[in-house]
Amino acid sequence: MSKPRDDRQKDLLLPALDQIIDMGHPLVRLAALIDWKFLDDRFGSVCQTGPGQPGLPTRLVAGLFILKHMHNLSDEVLCARWIENPYYQYFCGELSFCHRLPFDRSSMTRWRQRLGEEQLVALIQESLSVAHKTGAIGPKDLERVAVDTTVQPKAVAHPTDARLMHRAITKLVGLAKRNRVPLRQSYLRLAKRAAIMVGRYTHAHQFKRARRQLKFLRTRLGRIIRDIRRKIDGDAALEARFGPLLALAQRVRTQDQHQRGPKVYALHAPEVECIGKGKARAPYEFGCKVSIATPVTSPKGGQFVLHAKALHGNPFDGHTLGPVVADMEKLTGVEARRIHVDKGYRGHNHPHRLRVWISGQVRRVTASIRREMKRRAAVEPVIGHVKAEHRMDRNYLKGRVGDRINAVLAAAGYNFGLLLRRLAELLRAIIRAFAETVPAQKIA
């Protein structure tokens, strides 16, 4: 694919968008503040000059990603609203109102895969730049930060041994039918009945019967695995096609509830990890850890997210502090002078240990630092808003790359949402001040 280019022109038969919308709308003002040339350089760097159809305009791609995570929309809903909303179209760089989508919905998936986390971080960087230009955040706010971790759940069902083995049987039999591999017996009807009975017996606290049905499922899954391996032996094409699923099915069959080490919790997302956060309502969550950093001060525009990064392997919080702070300083260009964390970071690996304050610490605590330590909990509502309102609460993107991309886009959507709210408040303040200065005309 050759370099993207933006050669959109006004349609002579259609009215221009700037003639039919309110140019004082917060989304229009936000579009004027964003440095689209900076995003064009970062996004366009993944494409090379050469033959082929040029990619979509980078402003269109960046605008779609911002709108999607700022308003918590799926790809399908975003495309439907983009057609209806002239402000969305103006924000993405259109000059005339479009009655049809100028792109395919699958283009968003391909652009996410093409850009990756390295280039999409530019959206967070640009959101902080716009916040600095509008006075929503200052340089001193970037020097004192609070860092915490949360779990980004994956879009998987709650994993149980019965459900995983039944799912493995279903997928193996379906793959065999599609490739015309004859099986001695599929066990689909019997496996479904056994999976249902495991749940019923467990609910009734009849665990001996439940274990008997679970053993039935495990035995039938083993039979199907061995039958498929016999039928495809010697066929390199079929072995390559069945290999990944057979390996996952074998892991599901042999894994135990109490075993240590990595386990399979979803066949379509084998990268999912089980993370225990000590919550009463959800003792275990299935996904990956995400580190979030925010100012520990009170910026005028709100608590912006300074850095967001998905961390795989379920690492200890303290071992993530050093790399996370280094990435944050590289992103913001400001060195962190004070870092406030909770007690889960004890034994951290940050090189400047005297810059880190842990909750409950007594030594080296002055009056100003004590005030900041009380503000450390400000990161908790930020995590709640990012998860509940900007698509971090359930990640639908595929693989570990999708985990990292979703964390960055959710943080960028949260920041741009704060900026949109601030611009709307400034507009209301201007209108209110103008109404107070202009005397009301007497009605004749």
Side-chain angles (χ1 to χ4, degrees), residues 258-297:
H258 302 289
Q259 78 177 36
R260 306 286 292 180
K263 296 166 66 175
V264 178
Y265 297 102
L267 290 173
H268 71 279
E271 74 279 356
V272 167
E273 302 155 4
C274 179
I275 303 171
K277 297 292 285 185
K279 300 176 182 176
R281 59 176 180 82
Y284 300 99
E285 295 180 277
F286 301 93
C288 71
K289 271 191 179 181
V290 174
S291 176
I292 300 288
T294 65
V296 80
T297 56

Side-chain angles (χ1 to χ4, degrees), residues 59-68 78 82 92 103 108:
R59 175 169 177 176
L60 174 61
V61 175
L64 289 172
F65 288 154
I66 292 171
L67 292 171
K68 171 184 171 66
L78 174 63
W82 195 91
C92 293
F103 60 93
M108 296 185 64

Side-chain angles (χ1 to χ4, degrees), residues 81-102:
R81 291 195 183 179
W82 195 91
I83 287 291
E84 303 168 354
N85 197 322
Y87 292 97
Y88 279 17
Q89 297 187 16
Y90 182 87
F91 185 79
C92 293
E94 294 295 333
L95 302 176
S96 303
F97 187 80
C98 296
H99 297 273
R100 295 182 180 179
L101 277 178

Side-chain angles (χ1 to χ4, degrees), residues 176-232:
K177 287 182 178 179
R178 289 194 297 272
N179 290 277
R180 298 181 180 179
V181 175
L183 297 178
R184 185 178 60 179
Q185 190 171 347
S186 67
Y187 302 106
L188 287 178
R189 181 178 58 85
L190 298 176
K192 181 178 179 180
R193 173 68 178 173
I196 292 172
M197 295 311 297
V198 170
R200 290 181 178 178
Y201 287 143
T202 303
H203 180 71
H205 286 205
Q206 299 176 4
F207 299 112
K208 195 171 183 179
R209 291 179 171 178
R211 284 194 296 269
R212 190 180 298 123
Q213 295 296 322
L214 201 59
K215 183 179 179 181
F216 178 89
L217 277 171
R218 186 173 282 110
T219 303
R220 269 57 185 180
L221 177 58
R223 288 183 183 180
I224 291 176
I225 291 174
R226 292 189 296 271
D227 191 15
I228 290 177
R229 283 177 175 170
R230 285 193 299 267
K231 299 293 177 56
I232 67 174

Side-chain angles (χ1 to χ4, degrees), residues 28-247:
V28 176
R29 298 176 64 194
L30 180 61
L33 292 171
I34 295 176
D35 186 359
W36 299 105
K37 181 66 170 61
F38 167 72
L39 296 177
D40 182 34
D41 295 338
R42 290 291 296 270
F43 286 14
S45 63
V46 300
C47 303
Q48 299 178 355
T49 304
Q53 177 71 22
L56 295 176
T58 52
R59 175 169 177 176
L60 174 61
V61 175
L64 289 172
F65 288 154
I66 292 171
L67 292 171
K68 171 184 171 66
H69 286 267
M70 186 165 56
H71 298 297
N72 192 10
L73 306 174
S74 64
D75 289 353
E76 294 85 354
V77 175
L78 174 63
C79 293
R81 291 195 183 179
W82 195 91
I83 287 291
E84 303 168 354
N85 197 322
Y87 292 97
Y88 279 17
Q89 297 187 16
Y90 182 87
F91 185 79
C92 293
E94 294 295 333
L95 302 176
S96 303
F97 187 80
C98 296
H99 297 273
R100 295 182 180 179
L101 277 178
F103 60 93
D104 190 78
R105 180 175 55 83
S106 60
S107 299
M108 296 185 64
T109 301
R110 291 183 172 83
W111 268 101
R112 275 192 296 260
Q113 296 171 347
R114 189 177 298 131
L115 292 169
E117 179 192 20
E118 297 77 11
Q119 307 303 331
L120 289 172
V121 169
L123 293 176
I124 298 181
Q125 196 170 359
E126 182 57 26
S127 68
L128 296 177
S129 175
V130 174
H132 181 70
K133 285 190 290 188
T134 58
I137 194 170
K140 290 186 178 180
D141 297 320
L142 306 178
E143 296 177 355
R144 290 165 280 185
V145 299
V147 182
D148 200 2
T149 60
T150 185
V151 178
Q152 178 179 243
K154 198 79 168 183
V156 299
H158 185 78
T160 61
D161 291 339
R163 177 177 288 151
L164 286 172
M165 283 189 280
H166 175 247
R167 186 64 178 159
I169 290 173
T170 305
K171 290 178 76 69
L172 283 173
V173 172
L175 186 60
K177 287 182 178 179
R178 289 194 297 272
N179 290 277
R180 298 181 180 179
V181 175
L183 297 178
R184 185 178 60 179
Q185 190 171 347
S186 67
Y187 302 106
L188 287 178
R189 181 178 58 85
L190 298 176
K192 181 178 179 180
R193 173 68 178 173
I196 292 172
M197 295 311 297
V198 170
R200 290 181 178 178
Y201 287 143
T202 303
H203 180 71
H205 286 205
Q206 299 176 4
F207 299 112
K208 195 171 183 179
R209 291 179 171 178
R211 284 194 296 269
R212 190 180 298 123
Q213 295 296 322
L214 201 59
K215 183 179 179 181
F216 178 89
L217 277 171
R218 186 173 282 110
T219 303
R220 269 57 185 180
L221 177 58
R223 288 183 183 180
I224 291 176
I225 291 174
R226 292 189 296 271
D227 191 15
I228 290 177
R229 283 177 175 170
R230 285 193 299 267
K231 299 293 177 56
I232 67 174
D233 187 26
D235 192 329
L238 287 179
E239 287 179 353
R241 203 168 299 165
F242 279 86
L245 185 56
L246 282 173

